[in-house]
C-alpha cells in the first residue's frame, strides 16, 4: 500500500497597488511554507513615436525582487528605489500567507 510521505504545492498570486505589481510565488511542503518569491514591477509611462504622432503608453518596468527561504529574508531593489514601502507590502504578503496556512480554530461543541 502506498504511504504518502510528503506533498509539495506551488502557489502563484499577485498584489497590485497604485503604481506597483508584486508577482508572488510560494512553495508549500505538507502545508508548511518552504519559500516565497516576489518579483516587483512598477507602472511607467513613456512617449513613443507613431505615424499619428507621439503617444503616451504605460508598461511594467522591473524594480527587483524579495524572497524568504530557509528562515532568511532578502530584498534586492534597483538603486534609487525606496525600500520601506516594499518592505511593508512584503511583510503583509508573508502575514497573509501565514494566515492562510494557520489551522482553523476548533469550534467547541455542547
Amino acid at each position: 500500500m502506498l504511504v504518502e510521505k510528503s506533498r509539495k504545492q506551488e502557489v502563484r498570486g499577485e498584489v497590485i497597488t497604485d503604481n506597483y505589481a508584486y508577482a508572488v510565488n510560494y512553495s508549500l511542503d505538507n502545508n508548511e511554507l518552504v519559500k516565497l518569491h516576489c518579483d516587483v514591477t512598477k507602472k511607467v509611462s513613456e512617449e513613443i513615436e507613431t505615424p499619428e504622432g507621439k503617444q503616451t503608453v504605460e508598461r511594467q518596468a522591473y524594480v527587483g525582487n524579495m524572497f524568504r527561504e530557509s528562515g532568511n529574508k532578502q530584498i534586492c531593489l534597483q538603486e534609487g528605489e525606496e525600500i520601506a514601502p516594499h518592505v511593508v507590502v512584503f511583510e503583509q504578503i508573508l502575514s497573509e500567507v501565514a494566515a492562510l496556512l494557520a489551522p482553523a480554530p476548533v469550534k467547541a461543541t455542547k
Side-chain angles (χ1 to χ4, degrees):
M1 172 182 242
L2 175 67
V3 176
E4 187 174 299
K5 294 189 177 194
S6 71
R7 180 179 296 230
K8 292 188 180 185
Q9 185 177 10
E10 299 290 323
V11 181
R12 297 178 67 183
E14 184 176 49
V15 173
I16 298 176
T17 64
D18 291 336
N19 291 317
Y20 293 92
Y22 301 84
V24 180
N25 297 296
Y26 61 92
S27 301
L28 303 172
D29 189 359
N30 291 327
N31 212 35
E32 183 178 320
L33 182 62
V34 177
K35 66 180 175 178
L36 184 141
H37 186 270
C38 185
D39 282 324
V40 184
T41 57
K42 70 178 171 181
K43 210 183 301 183
V44 294
S45 297
E46 58 188 11
E47 286 190 354
I48 60 168
E49 282 291 335
T50 67
E52 294 82 30
K54 287 186 178 182
Q55 290 187 356
T56 302
V57 295
E58 286 187 346
R59 66 177 179 85
Q60 291 296 116
Y62 182 76
V63 172
N65 63 56
M66 306 179 287
F67 66 89
R68 177 194 173 272
E69 186 172 357
S70 302
N72 295 306
K73 294 178 189 174
Q74 187 168 354
I75 297 175
C76 301
L77 300 174
Q78 292 181 345
E79 188 174 356
E81 190 69 37
E82 268 192 67
I83 295 173
H86 300 292
V87 171
V88 170
V89 173
F90 188 53
E91 290 297 330
Q92 178 184 351
I93 291 168
L94 289 170
S95 294
E96 288 181 25
V97 170
L100 289 172
L101 299 176
V106 178
K107 291 184 178 181
T109 58
K110 292 183 179 182

